[in-house]
Amino acid sequence: QVQLVESGGGLAQTGGSLRLSCAASGLYIMGWFRQAPGKDREFVAGVTRGGASTAYADSVRGRFTISRENAKTTVYLQMNSLKPEDTAVYYCAADPRYLRVGRSESDYVYWGQGTQVTVSS
C-alpha cells in the first residue's frame, strides 16, 4: 500500500508564502490538488518521477513551484504570492501507472489525507 504523508499547511497572509511537503513510500508521478469549500477538487501541479517535467494550473503558474528530492520520494509545493482564493484543503496524490503528469483526479490512484491552507486578506 502506498503511503503519502503531507505536512506544511497553515495560515498565511495575502502575499505570503507556504511550503507543503508530501513524503511517499515509493517513486511515482506526483500531483497536488486542492478543494475549496463548496467546490470540486482541482489540479494544482504535478511532476514526473525524475522531476524533469512539471505541469501547473493556470491559476497558480508563476506563483507555485513543485519539486522533488530525497531520492525523489518527497515532493514539495512552494506557494508564493498567496491569495485568499488559494484557501483550500490541499491533497497530494500518486500515480504508479503512467509516464506523464495527469490533470484529472482519475489519473491518480493514491491520495494523502489533506492539509488545510488558509490565506487571510
Side-chain angles (χ1 to χ4, degrees), residues 20-23 30 32 47 66-68 72-77:
L20 306 182
S21 300
C22 178
M30 299 293 292
W32 285 98
V47 62
I66 189 170
S67 61
R68 62 192 313 162
K72 303 192 184 300
T73 58
T74 299
V75 176
Y76 302 97
L77 185 67

Side-chain angles (χ1 to χ4, degrees), residues 5 10 12 15 18-19 31 36 38 43 47 50 53 55 63 74 81 91 97-98 103 118 121:
V5 180
L18 286 172
R19 188 175 81 156
F43 173 79
V47 62
S53 181
R63 300 188 298 121
T74 299
S81 301
Y91 299 89
R97 303 168 296 177
Y98 304 124
R103 293 174 177 264
T118 302
S121 57

Side-chain angles (χ1 to χ4, degrees), residues 41-110:
R41 192 178 301 186
E42 63 176 0
F43 173 79
V44 175
V47 62
T48 52
R49 288 179 177 82
S53 181
T54 57
Y56 295 93
D58 289 343
S59 58
V60 306
R61 187 175 290 111
R63 300 188 298 121
F64 291 11
T65 302
I66 189 170
S67 61
R68 62 192 313 162
E69 58 183 44
N70 293 346
K72 303 192 184 300
T73 58
T74 299
V75 176
Y76 302 97
L77 185 67
Q78 178 66 43
M79 305 185 294
N80 298 329
S81 301
L82 284 164
K83 303 175 181 180
E85 51 263 45
D86 294 320
T87 295
V89 177
Y90 284 70
Y91 299 89
C92 71
D95 168 21
R97 303 168 296 177
Y98 304 124
L99 299 179
R100 295 193 298 177
V101 174
R103 293 174 177 264
S104 299
E105 290 184 72
S106 59
D107 292 324
Y108 296 84
V109 176
Y110 304 105

